[in-house]
Amino acid sequence: MTNDSLVIGGRTFTSRLLVGTGKFSSNKAMIEAMEGSGCEIVTVALRRVDIENPEDSMLSHIDRDRYLLLPNTSGARDAEEAMRLARLARAAGCEPWVKLEVTPDPYYLLPDPIETLKAARILVKEGFTVLPYINADPVLAKHLQEAGTATVMPLGAPIGTNRGLRTRDQIRIIIEQAIVPVVVDAGLGAPSHAAEAMEMGADAVLVNTALAVSPNPGAMGAAFKKGVQAGREAFLAGLGEQSQKAQASSPLTGFLHD
Amino acid sequence: MTNDSLVIGGRTFTSRLLVGTGKFSSNKAMIEAMEGSGCEIVTVALRRVDIENPEDSMLSHIDRDRYLLLPNTSGARDAEEAMRLARLARAAGCEPWVKLEVTPDPYYLLPDPIETLKAARILVKEGFTVLPYINADPVLAKHLQEAGTATVMPLGAPIGTNRGLRTRDQIRIIIEQAIVPVVVDAGLGAPSHAAEAMEMGADAVLVNTALAVSPNPGAMGAAFKKGVQAGREAFLAGLGEQSQKAQASSPLTGFLHD
Amino acid sequence: MTNDSLVIGGRTFTSRLLVGTGKFSSNKAMIEAMEGSGCEIVTVALRRVDIENPEDSMLSHIDRDRYLLLPNTSGARDAEEAMRLARLARAAGCEPWVKLEVTPDPYYLLPDPIETLKAARILVKEGFTVLPYINADPVLAKHLQEAGTATVMPLGAPIGTNRGLRTRDQIRIIIEQAIVPVVVDAGLGAPSHAAEAMEMGADAVLVNTALAVSPNPGAMGAAFKKGVQAGREAFLAGLGEQSQKAQASSPLTGFLHD
Amino acid sequence: MTNDSLVIGGRTFTSRLLVGTGKFSSNKAMIEAMEGSGCEIVTVALRRVDIENPEDSMLSHIDRDRYLLLPNTSGARDAEEAMRLARLARAAGCEPWVKLEVTPDPYYLLPDPIETLKAARILVKEGFTVLPYINADPVLAKHLQEAGTATVMPLGAPIGTNRGLRTRDQIRIIIEQAIVPVVVDAGLGAPSHAAEAMEMGADAVLVNTALAVSPNPGAMGAAFKKGVQAGREAFLAGLGEQSQKAQASSPLTGFLHD
């Protein structure tokens, strides 16, 4: 699978698995998951770190030569809050990349299509590389791409539910129509979920909860890494169609019944 | 994942992916799939090979030092036919292992529970290591295990359909109650299907059609290999439960809204 | 839907909803469910009633002119036990109809294919009208039909789980190949489950737990009655295929964009 | 189920099944479907009718004393087009009700969240009773309700696909959070799909393609009517939870094994 690289915002990545840093029981567990996963992009909640403080306990554990730090606006309830967080991060010296999350609903943490598009349009104009977290809405995905976002990141299921690709029909359409990488985000609770997303043609996936809550985050990271690769390689090799009737793998050549 | 080995009939295997040899467009494609998959067990339809002929074009391509040849009784329509095939293979010098398939129905190639159990009981007594292909029927699986089979091999979906784990509820019960390895067989059309079976706790899977019909059997074999490993490793690391409510990966610590 | 009748064992029924009598909180609740459902066949566990006692509290509540009492062998763990129960019922004056249940496993109450077929063959020869409860196994279903059973009754999901048609792929094949009525039994927890079975072409369904555990068994019985009718009528009227692409219900005639 | 009425925009309805009028092979077929369905609200594409012409062949077939005519903006690609259609209808004497559809994508006819909300806000202010067709997006649904729409109408699957509730997880959240009636629209291809939506607590459903393409639209309308009622009644009666383990419907009272 040489030369099968993922390009986001002009940068080239080998890994198609992005990792979130929330909910880990310790920084050690977080680092183990990152290393196991082989990820190159890690997303960090701006609310949770002190960007300006080089001693911040969490950030100091992440090797910035190895991982691209992708700040996210988790916790922002509208476009204004999200933009304020993104700008603060840039002012503090972060690169102008932002995973845009606008989630007014505290129960399911579902993204707001209106405020997300509003913030995306402005942040793109301000020079940010914007990766928006969205509901699996193909028309919204189009609007965002027309606004210049670097990816679209539709959810498979609400954050932290481990339910897999509950929105697969809509994600299939988003992939079919996409002109930027599609990164499936949220709800992927097992390697098979990640593999399925990749088999459908997603360009990458983001996983967090499944790693963070595992008794063995490093091993789970490695398992997801293989799941993502398995799905990608199968997509490239060409998967067969589903059928109703059985097809004998060992065709009846007949001598037995002669 | 050192020391996570699969033991069937007293033999130890590292790979948890078994490969079938039907339907490939060429022996070359078949060998590529086998090599890509990392499999150690390959199943061969007794009807399709001339066991006594060392020049048999298909068998001569399979390195018997590397792969355990598991003869199957594909095409047998009742216990008698299946037993006859198994005995012929042993008489010709094969090891007394048999993948027992009794499929009277030519459309869906579904296995016959009655004839399969009947043949299994006799073949076990005759000293065969018996791996029976069955519908996902937990009670039948118990009978077979009590009869001394080395595995049970429930189907995920009819052979060749690529439909995945359509029988997952029943397979879950079979796994929960099993005292021998459970090998999910038939219907697995994508690495995500194989991964899911392993995540549920299956001990191994058998894949054939998905490799044989792929434009790139070697790459697809490698993809399935990773899918199986991903699922196994996730199972061992401990997967989380599914939930309905979202769980914030980035808990609301609140400073933003202060 | 005039003249769309269900014929089982030479008898003609109008209703396609059979009702089980277990688990109700009271005989009153049971009767309400039966009346609401419009059923004509009710199944009763032989273990639970005193067939020879006309004062048996449960049986005395069921109007035998209105409902055909179908004794079941619930609790039988092998063919012998099931046959003994069936014969006792006939000796006590019941009609020679039996819902054959052989469930050795106490956790999931799944049926035993071997013992069920064995008992069915004998009971049919003894003149019983046999309705066997089975796993969704098309080959077993064929054997039973060849043995002369009056129906086959594949399960949708384990008894009492309310999980719906988890075995739908196998049930579809059973229906396609059946020469006697297919009655989907067990696991149907909502009218939509019953409707789906009927839309697939099942001839009838049997429901028990969903009625028995409802706070309002009479209303739930009525809801299932409509669900069964809805599914049956849609099946007869001819359902459309599923497609991936949207089909405009309001074709673009164009004036708006002229 | 007396007094279980549906109130939309201050009006009270008995039926919870709305019917669309597109795609029928003839006006006769359309009327049969309407009559069979028992619907009280029918939606008509403004592009397809000549509102000002009392002789319009389609409209002249619909009894306006019996059915509330709900004009829809099908074919509108943005808010402007949708609003123009709505205003034309009102100017021509229609009541100020509008099913708001803004579907820029011609392949899947998926709704535009941004333009739909924009048009909804303005039309509500202009005095329209607005029923917006939307993707199954809970946050968008909230915005629309805050803007004063009379319902929200999330899609189950793309229009005309007959795929059922592919978005069920999101619809469940919309229902849980709704303060106006939730009408599931699009993709419902069988009565079981409609029943499932109602069992989940939807207030109503809209069906069109499944009736229009049926060989027997009148019978299919009647089947959907029962499916909707079945689901609603089961929802009101209280459905049980799904479980993994079997629950014996006929508890083991033990005498058999004594």
Side-chain angles (χ1 to χ4, degrees):
Chain A
M1 292 301 118
T2 44
N3 301 322
D4 175 40
S5 49
L6 169 68
V7 180
I8 298 177
R11 286 194 164 180
T12 301
F13 303 93
T14 304
S15 167
R16 291 173 179 276
L17 174 56
L18 288 68
V19 167
T21 55
K23 271 188 178 176
F24 282 92
S25 57
S26 68
N27 285 327
K28 180 167 169 293
M30 178 188 76
I31 296 297
E32 285 170 2
M34 287 163 54
E35 291 184 352
S37 75
C39 71
E40 295 165 329
I41 303 177
V42 293
T43 180
V44 180
L46 287 165
R47 285 176 308 100
R48 295 177 57 237
V49 295
D50 185 349
I51 294 287
E52 300 191 60
N53 178 4
E55 310 279 318
D56 177 274
S57 74
M58 183 176 162
L59 288 186
S60 65
H61 284 81
I62 299 178
D63 177 355
R64 302 233 202 157
D65 290 333
R66 182 165 169 192
Y67 300 106
L68 172 67
L69 214 63
L70 175 63
N72 73 55
T73 63
S74 172
R77 291 173 302 190
D78 57 26
E80 280 308 315
E81 290 184 357
M83 291 188 292
R84 181 184 138 219
L85 281 168
R87 289 164 187 153
L88 279 172
R90 182 158 67 174
C94 285
E95 290 190 78
W97 282 51
V98 63
K99 178 172 178 236
L100 181 60
E101 300 186 25
V102 185
T103 57
D105 171 77
Y107 295 103
Y108 296 99
L109 300 172
L110 293 170
D112 186 322
I114 311 299
E115 295 293 305
T116 300
L117 180 59
K118 182 175 158 194
R121 283 180 169 148
I122 294 170
L123 290 171
V124 166
K125 281 185 189 146
E126 292 181 4
F128 281 90
T129 296
V130 179
L131 298 85
Y133 170 59
I134 58 171
N135 198 349
D137 181 330
V139 179
L140 177 64
K142 273 197 174 176
H143 281 308
L144 286 160
Q145 294 174 69
E146 286 163 9
T149 62
T151 63
V152 287
M153 302 185 70
L155 60 86
I159 290 175
T161 57
N162 290 335
R163 291 172 71 79
L165 292 180
R166 307 297 290 186
T167 57
R168 61 170 62 77
D169 279 31
Q170 307 285 76
I171 287 180
R172 196 180 300 279
I173 298 172
I174 291 174
I175 290 170
E176 182 185 306
Q177 300 181 333
I179 55 173
V180 299
V182 176
V183 183
V184 177
D185 186 10
L188 305 182
S192 61
H193 300 162
E196 185 188 354
M198 300 307 293
E199 288 160 6
M200 286 166 59
D203 296 278
V205 300
L206 189 149
V207 177
N208 185 342
T209 299
L211 307 184
V213 305
S214 172
N216 191 341
M220 193 58 85
F224 268 91
K225 177 185 182 179
K226 285 181 180 165
V228 169
Q229 291 176 341
R232 178 66 182 176
E233 293 174 20
F235 171 73
L236 293 176
L239 285 157
E241 293 291 306
Q242 292 190 5
S243 64
Q244 292 271 358
K245 282 264 187 265
Q247 308 285 339
S249 345
S250 316
L252 297 174
T253 49
F255 88 79
L256 181 68
H257 304 307
D258 289 349
Chain B
M1 294 301 117
T2 45
N3 301 322
D4 174 41
S5 49
L6 170 68
V7 180
I8 298 178
R11 285 194 160 173
T12 301
F13 303 92
T14 304
S15 167
R16 291 174 178 274
L17 174 56
L18 288 69
V19 167
T21 55
K23 270 188 177 176
F24 283 92
S25 58
S26 67
N27 286 326
K28 181 168 169 291
M30 177 188 76
I31 296 297
E32 285 170 1
M34 287 164 54
E35 291 184 350
S37 75
C39 71
E40 294 164 330
I41 302 176
V42 294
T43 181
V44 180
L46 288 165
R47 286 175 308 101
R48 295 177 57 238
V49 295
D50 185 349
I51 294 286
E52 299 192 60
N53 177 5
E55 310 280 317
D56 178 274
S57 74
M58 183 175 162
L59 289 185
S60 67
H61 283 80
I62 299 177
D63 177 354
R64 302 232 203 156
D65 291 334
R66 182 165 170 192
Y67 301 106
L68 172 66
L69 215 62
L70 174 62
N72 72 55
T73 64
S74 172
R77 292 173 301 191
D78 58 25
E80 282 307 314
E81 288 184 358
M83 292 188 292
R84 181 183 141 220
L85 281 168
R87 290 165 187 152
L88 281 173
R90 181 157 67 172
C94 284
E95 290 190 79
W97 283 51
V98 63
K99 179 174 177 232
L100 181 58
E101 301 185 24
V102 186
T103 56
D105 171 79
Y107 295 103
Y108 295 100
L109 300 170
L110 293 170
D112 185 322
I114 311 298
E115 296 292 306
T116 300
L117 180 59
K118 182 176 159 192
R121 283 180 169 148
I122 295 169
L123 291 171
V124 166
K125 282 185 188 147
E126 293 181 2
F128 281 90
T129 296
V130 179
L131 298 85
Y133 169 58
I134 59 170
N135 198 348
D137 181 329
V139 179
L140 176 65
K142 273 195 174 177
H143 281 308
L144 286 160
Q145 293 174 69
E146 286 163 8
T149 62
T151 64
V152 286
M153 303 184 70
L155 60 86
I159 290 175
T161 58
N162 289 335
R163 290 172 71 78
L165 293 180
R166 306 298 288 187
T167 57
R168 62 171 61 78
D169 279 30
Q170 307 285 76
I171 286 180
R172 195 180 300 279
I173 298 172
I174 291 174
I175 290 170
E176 182 184 307
Q177 301 181 333
I179 57 173
V180 299
V182 176
V183 183
V184 177
D185 186 10
L188 305 181
S192 61
H193 301 160
E196 185 188 354
M198 301 306 293
E199 288 160 5
M200 286 167 58
D203 296 278
V205 299
L206 190 151
V207 177
N208 185 341
T209 299
L211 307 184
V213 306
S214 172
N216 191 340
M220 192 59 85
F224 268 90
K225 177 185 181 177
K226 285 182 180 164
V228 170
Q229 291 176 340
R232 178 65 182 176
E233 293 174 19
F235 171 73
L236 294 175
L239 285 157
E241 292 292 305
Q242 292 189 5
S243 64
Q244 292 270 358
K245 282 264 188 266
Q247 308 285 339
S249 347
S250 315
L252 297 174
T253 49
F255 88 81
L256 181 68
H257 306 306
D258 288 351
Chain C
M1 293 301 115
T2 44
N3 301 324
D4 174 41
S5 50
L6 169 69
V7 179
I8 298 177
R11 285 194 164 179
T12 301
F13 304 92
T14 304
S15 167
R16 291 173 178 275
L17 173 56
L18 288 68
V19 167
T21 56
K23 272 187 175 175
F24 283 91
S25 58
S26 67
N27 285 326
K28 181 169 168 291
M30 178 187 76
I31 297 296
E32 285 170 1
M34 288 163 54
E35 291 184 350
S37 74
C39 71
E40 294 164 329
I41 302 177
V42 294
T43 180
V44 180
L46 287 166
R47 286 173 308 101
R48 295 176 58 237
V49 295
D50 185 349
I51 295 286
E52 300 191 59
N53 178 3
E55 309 280 317
D56 176 274
S57 75
M58 183 177 162
L59 289 186
S60 66
H61 284 80
I62 299 177
D63 177 354
R64 302 233 203 156
D65 292 332
R66 180 165 170 193
Y67 300 106
L68 172 66
L69 215 63
L70 174 63
N72 72 56
T73 64
S74 172
R77 292 173 302 190
D78 58 26
E80 281 308 314
E81 289 184 357
M83 292 188 292
R84 181 184 140 219
L85 281 168
R87 290 164 187 153
L88 280 173
R90 181 158 65 173
C94 285
E95 290 190 79
W97 282 51
V98 63
K99 178 172 178 235
L100 181 59
E101 301 185 24
V102 185
T103 57
D105 171 77
Y107 295 102
Y108 295 100
L109 301 171
L110 293 170
D112 186 322
I114 312 298
E115 296 293 305
T116 301
L117 180 59
K118 183 176 157 193
R121 283 180 170 147
I122 296 170
L123 291 171
V124 165
K125 283 184 188 145
E126 292 181 3
F128 281 91
T129 296
V130 179
L131 299 84
Y133 170 57
I134 58 171
N135 198 346
D137 182 329
V139 179
L140 177 64
K142 272 196 175 176
H143 282 308
L144 286 160
Q145 293 174 68
E146 287 163 8
T149 61
T151 63
V152 286
M153 302 184 70
L155 60 84
I159 290 175
T161 57
N162 289 335
R163 291 171 71 78
L165 292 179
R166 307 296 290 186
T167 58
R168 61 170 64 76
D169 279 30
Q170 306 285 77
I171 287 180
R172 194 179 301 279
I173 298 172
I174 292 174
I175 291 170
E176 182 184 306
Q177 301 181 333
I179 56 173
V180 298
V182 176
V183 184
V184 177
D185 186 9
L188 306 182
S192 60
H193 300 161
E196 185 188 353
M198 301 306 292
E199 287 159 5
M200 286 166 59
D203 296 278
V205 299
L206 189 150
V207 177
N208 185 341
T209 300
L211 307 184
V213 305
S214 172
N216 192 341
M220 192 59 83
F224 268 90
K225 177 184 182 177
K226 285 181 180 164
V228 169
Q229 291 176 340
R232 177 67 182 176
E233 293 175 18
F235 170 74
L236 294 175
L239 284 156
E241 292 292 307
Q242 291 189 6
S243 63
Q244 292 271 359
K245 284 263 187 267
Q247 309 284 341
S249 347
S250 316
L252 298 174
T253 49
F255 88 81
L256 181 68
H257 304 308
D258 290 350
Chain D
M1 292 304 116
T2 44
N3 302 322
D4 175 40
S5 49
L6 169 68
V7 179
I8 297 177
R11 283 194 166 181
T12 301
F13 303 92
T14 303
S15 167
R16 291 173 179 275
L17 174 55
L18 289 68
V19 167
T21 54
K23 271 186 173 177
F24 282 92
S25 57
S26 67
N27 286 327
K28 181 168 169 292
M30 177 187 77
I31 295 296
E32 285 170 1
M34 288 164 53
E35 291 184 351
S37 76
C39 71
E40 295 164 329
I41 303 177
V42 294
T43 180
V44 180
L46 287 165
R47 286 174 309 101
R48 296 176 57 240
V49 294
D50 185 349
I51 295 286
E52 301 192 58
N53 177 4
E55 310 279 317
D56 177 273
S57 75
M58 182 175 162
L59 289 186
S60 65
H61 284 80
I62 299 178
D63 177 354
R64 302 232 202 157
D65 291 334
R66 180 164 169 192
Y67 300 107
L68 172 66
L69 215 62
L70 174 63
N72 72 56
T73 63
S74 172
R77 292 173 302 190
D78 58 25
E80 281 308 314
E81 289 184 358
M83 291 189 291
R84 181 183 140 219
L85 281 168
R87 289 166 187 151
L88 280 173
R90 182 158 67 175
C94 284
E95 290 190 80
W97 282 51
V98 64
K99 178 171 177 237
L100 180 60
E101 300 185 26
V102 185
T103 58
D105 171 77
Y107 295 102
Y108 296 99
L109 300 171
L110 293 170
D112 186 323
I114 312 298
E115 297 292 306
T116 301
L117 180 59
K118 182 176 158 192
R121 283 181 170 148
I122 294 170
L123 291 171
V124 166
K125 282 186 189 146
E126 293 181 3
F128 281 90
T129 295
V130 178
L131 298 85
Y133 169 58
I134 58 171
N135 198 347
D137 181 331
V139 180
L140 177 65
K142 273 197 175 177
H143 281 308
L144 286 160
Q145 293 174 69
E146 286 163 9
T149 61
T151 63
V152 286
M153 303 184 70
L155 59 86
I159 290 175
T161 58
N162 289 335
R163 289 172 72 78
L165 292 180
R166 308 295 290 185
T167 58
R168 61 170 64 76
D169 279 30
Q170 306 285 76
I171 287 179
R172 195 180 301 279
I173 298 172
I174 292 174
I175 290 170
E176 183 185 305
Q177 301 181 333
I179 55 173
V180 299
V182 176
V183 184
V184 177
D185 185 10
L188 305 181
S192 60
H193 300 162
E196 186 188 353
M198 301 306 293
E199 287 160 5
M200 287 167 57
D203 296 278
V205 299
L206 188 150
V207 177
N208 185 339
T209 299
L211 307 184
V213 305
S214 172
N216 191 339
M220 191 59 84
F224 268 89
K225 176 184 182 178
K226 285 182 180 165
V228 169
Q229 291 176 340
R232 177 66 182 176
E233 293 174 20
F235 170 75
L236 293 176
L239 284 157
E241 291 292 305
Q242 292 189 5
S243 64
Q244 292 271 358
K245 283 264 187 265
Q247 308 285 340
S249 350
S250 316
L252 298 174
T253 49
F255 89 82
L256 182 67
H257 304 307
D258 290 349

